[in-house]
């Protein structure tokens, strides 16, 4: 593979943007072509040239995508009438296939590229000096990244992934681990999906740390919509990244595709809750292939959402039960102590300690709390209110409580 200078001039980035977003060619094909050609050379190729350098399968795929009327890869305006986005008969199509004229207009490509700025989006080619080094090192790194906010740097980082429909326990663990790691200076990478992903992002924000959302759609699309506030907060304390152009919709195949970027940007992958067949395990597999450490939160035998994590642990993933276990592994020289030094015995009275000790990380119903503590209804509810007001416990849904970490 040719060695590239990381510094690109103004026109180089246009060529790189065009080729990275060119539909119909896979990453492997594009990287094979870049071993022999610069993007500027490829831009000048005619139909006949493309047909010559592509395999039959690649050529058919390339032609099929380019024939779609919604693909805005324009031809020169002075081309003959046979060069159009739609063709009415076979003879026109045949004439087009063997045209010797170049197919793409650099002025229109430039117009599309500079339009990104209006949306607050930047494009980074894999040849750019600012492209994340961790991602550049993986075999199937994207040819370009669309970014809102900032790019991940060289800081320590962990990918936190898991179920989109987690338990309250799983959500709390994702939030707490991410918060504490963020406080210690570790960036949190996740996929911005519902459930564990967004809990991890929010935990990092609580810890005043950096967090990065890797999307399976264009960077200008908030999906799911209910994460909009978190999306805006991430832009203030991290970034939103995607290999897909603005406007690209969240199609199902794009989420497994983006998992390699989540793991590629991180020093390790932490799986919080996952079914036996889960997208989170795809991220863990990507991490293994990339040489990353894999961590898993153990769960109870028989729990569906623990099957994936327990399987990973059996396969050699590191079992972790507190944030310090991850920090000690990826950043042993870090001087920040993650241990909770608060002594609740000195802060709570006897009855408050009884109620607090009755609770754990699994939500418990108020009637069960009152029955187990042998308190009156009024007294039990009053104590629960005080504990919640002081931040020791929280009510995740009406009348269900768990402790805050």
């Amino acid at each position: 593979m040719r060695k590239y200078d990381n510094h690109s001039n103004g026109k180089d980035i246009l060529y790189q943007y065009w080729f990275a977003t060119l539909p119909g060619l896979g990453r492997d094909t594009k990287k094979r072509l870049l071993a022999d050609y610069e993007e500027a050379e490829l831009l000048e190729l005619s139909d006949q040239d493309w047909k010559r350098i592509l395999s039959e399968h690649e050529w058919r795929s390339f032609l099929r995508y380019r024939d779609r009327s919604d693909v805005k890869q324009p031809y020169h305006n002075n081309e003959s009438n046979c060069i159009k986005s739609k063709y009415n008969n076979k003879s026109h199509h045949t004439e087009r296939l063997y045209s010797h004229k170049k197919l793409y207009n650099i002025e229109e490509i430039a117009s599309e590229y500079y339009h990104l700025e209006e949306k607050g989006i930047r494009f980074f080619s894999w040849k750019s000096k600012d492209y994340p080094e961790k991602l550049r090192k993986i075999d199937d790194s994207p040819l370009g990244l669309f970014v809102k906010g900032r790019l991940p740097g060289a800081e320590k980082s962990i990918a936190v992934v898991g179920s989109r429909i987690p338990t309250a326990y799983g959500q709390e663990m994702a939030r707490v681990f991410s918060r504490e790691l963020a406080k210690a200076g570790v960036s949190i990478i996740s996929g911005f999906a519902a459930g564990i992903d967004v809990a991890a992002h929010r935990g990092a924000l609580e810890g005043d740390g950096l967090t990065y959302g890797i999307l399976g759609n264009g960077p200008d699309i908030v999906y799911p919509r209910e994460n909009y506030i978190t999306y805006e907060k991430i832009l203030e304390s991290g970034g939103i990244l995607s290999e897909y152009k603005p406007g690209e919709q969240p199609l199902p195949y794009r989420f497994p595709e983006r998992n390699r970027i989540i793991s590629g940007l991180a020093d390790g992958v932490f799986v919080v809750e996952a079914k036996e067949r889960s997208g989170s395990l795809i991220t863990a597999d990507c991490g293994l292939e990339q040489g990353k450490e894999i961590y898993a939160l153990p769960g109870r035998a028989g729990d569906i959402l623990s099957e994936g994590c327990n399987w990973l642990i059996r396969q050699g993933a590191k079992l972790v039960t507190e944030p310090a276990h991850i920090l000690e592994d990826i950043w042993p020289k870090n001087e920040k102590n993650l241990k909770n030094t608060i002594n609740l015995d000195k802060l709570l009275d006897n009855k408050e300690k009884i109620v607090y000790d009755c609770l754990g990380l699994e939500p418990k119903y108020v009637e069960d709390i009152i029955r187990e503590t042998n308190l009156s209804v009024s007294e039990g509810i009053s104590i629960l209110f005080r504990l919640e007001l002081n931040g020791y416990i929280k009510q995740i849904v009406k009348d269900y409580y768990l402790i805050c970490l």
Side-chain angles (χ1 to χ4, degrees):
M1 182 65 70
R2 175 183 305 167
K3 297 295 183 182
Y4 296 108
D5 182 357
N6 281 333
H7 297 276
S8 300
N9 65 39
K11 211 162 188 180
D12 285 343
I13 192 62
L14 296 181
Y15 298 139
Q16 292 159 10
Y17 167 78
W18 160 75
F19 192 63
T21 60
L22 183 66
L25 298 178
R27 283 189 307 277
D28 291 343
T29 300
K30 289 182 176 181
K31 289 188 176 181
R32 175 177 62 79
L33 292 175
L34 288 175
D36 298 316
Y37 300 91
E38 294 285 357
E39 291 92 344
E41 296 175 281
L42 293 165
L43 184 69
E44 298 296 318
L45 297 184
S46 66
D47 252 338
Q48 191 175 53
D49 295 326
W50 280 107
K51 192 172 191 298
R52 175 176 51 82
I53 66 175
L54 296 175
S55 70
E56 183 177 351
H57 172 75
E58 291 168 343
W59 168 248
R60 290 182 182 278
S61 174
F62 179 59
L63 196 62
R64 182 172 65 252
Y65 274 84
R66 204 179 59 198
D67 276 348
R68 294 180 178 180
S69 60
D70 61 338
V71 175
K72 296 180 180 179
Q73 296 285 1
Y75 301 114
H76 282 301
N77 293 330
N78 61 353
E79 298 295 335
S80 63
N81 289 334
C82 69
I83 308 282
K84 295 180 179 178
S85 61
K86 292 187 178 180
Y87 297 89
N88 296 322
N89 58 56
K90 186 175 180 179
S91 62
H92 281 171
H93 185 67
T94 303
E95 186 176 359
R96 175 186 178 230
L97 290 184
Y98 293 94
S99 168
H100 289 270
K101 297 180 179 181
K102 63 181 181 179
L103 303 173
Y104 300 102
N105 186 320
I106 188 62
E107 287 76 19
E108 295 201 31
I109 294 168
S111 176
E112 182 178 287
Y113 174 79
Y114 291 119
H115 183 65
L116 295 174
E117 295 180 7
E118 298 176 13
K119 295 186 175 183
I121 297 169
R122 295 175 294 160
F123 173 80
F124 294 90
S125 163
W126 72 322
K127 297 179 182 180
S128 167
K129 63 182 178 63
D130 295 317
Y131 190 92
E133 282 301 319
K134 291 176 187 176
L135 195 59
R136 200 198 304 273
K137 291 176 181 177
I138 72 173
D139 290 338
D140 52 354
S141 55
L143 290 178
L145 288 174
F146 294 90
V147 180
K148 292 190 75 174
R150 62 184 289 172
L151 272 173
E155 71 270 11
K156 294 294 183 180
S157 56
I158 282 290
V160 181
V161 297
S163 173
R164 297 189 183 200
I165 312 175
T167 64
Y169 168 76
Q171 282 186 304
E172 184 70 0
M173 287 294 95
R175 184 186 69 84
V176 169
F177 269 73
S178 299
R179 182 192 69 200
E180 297 305 310
L181 289 170
K183 285 180 179 179
V186 177
S187 293
I188 303 300
I189 315 286
S190 198
F192 198 69
I196 295 299
D197 287 13
V198 76
H201 290 307
R202 290 169 180 165
L205 293 170
E206 287 178 24
D208 293 324
L210 298 174
T211 185
Y212 301 91
I214 316 304
L215 307 189
N217 44 262
D220 57 333
I221 295 177
V222 182
Y223 178 81
R225 287 297 300 175
E226 58 265 27
N227 289 352
Y228 180 79
I229 294 176
T230 304
Y231 177 97
E232 291 295 320
K233 289 182 177 179
I234 289 174
L235 295 180
E236 298 173 4
S237 301
I240 295 292
L241 288 72
S242 176
E243 65 179 319
Y244 302 110
K245 293 171 66 173
E248 294 289 341
Q249 296 300 310
L251 303 178
Y253 76 89
R254 288 177 172 159
F255 292 96
E257 277 276 294
R258 65 89 152 90
N259 289 350
R260 78 192 195 285
I261 303 176
I262 295 174
S263 57
L265 287 167
D267 294 301
V269 178
F270 175 40
V271 184
V272 178
E273 280 186 330
K275 294 181 179 179
E276 190 173 14
R277 294 183 179 180
S278 165
S280 302
L281 300 189
I282 296 175
T283 310
D285 284 341
C286 290
L288 279 174
E289 292 176 2
Q290 296 162 0
K292 308 300 174 84
E293 292 289 352
I294 309 300
Y295 308 93
L297 186 74
R300 293 183 301 190
D303 284 359
I304 292 176
L305 288 176
S306 297
E307 290 176 352
C309 291
N310 291 342
W311 181 84
L312 285 172
I313 292 168
R314 291 197 303 273
Q315 299 303 310
K318 296 187 177 181
L319 183 156
V320 295
T321 55
E322 58 183 80
H325 294 161
I326 295 176
L327 189 67
E328 291 163 1
D329 197 47
I330 68 166
W331 203 355
K333 295 182 179 180
N334 185 288
E335 297 178 353
K336 296 186 179 180
N337 185 0
L338 297 184
K339 298 290 185 181
N340 186 356
T341 58
I342 297 176
N343 187 348
L344 291 178
D345 288 340
K346 295 180 180 180
L347 300 176
L348 305 178
D349 64 31
N350 288 335
K351 289 186 177 179
E352 287 173 340
K353 282 189 286 185
I354 290 172
V355 173
Y356 183 85
D357 290 342
C358 173
L359 298 172
L361 292 171
E362 292 287 350
K364 184 171 286 189
Y365 187 48
V366 63
E367 290 185 3
D368 295 330
I369 297 169
I370 291 170
R371 185 181 66 253
E372 291 179 24
T373 57
N374 291 318
L375 296 171
S376 66
V377 172
S378 60
E379 190 173 26
I381 290 176
S382 176
I383 292 172
L384 286 169
F385 176 77
R386 290 201 304 274
L387 291 174
E388 185 177 12
L389 188 64
N390 290 321
Y392 299 124
I393 68 173
K394 66 180 178 180
Q395 188 175 189
I396 58 163
V397 293
K398 184 174 172 56
D399 294 335
Y400 282 85
Y401 296 86
L402 49 74
I403 63 172
C404 293
L405 295 179

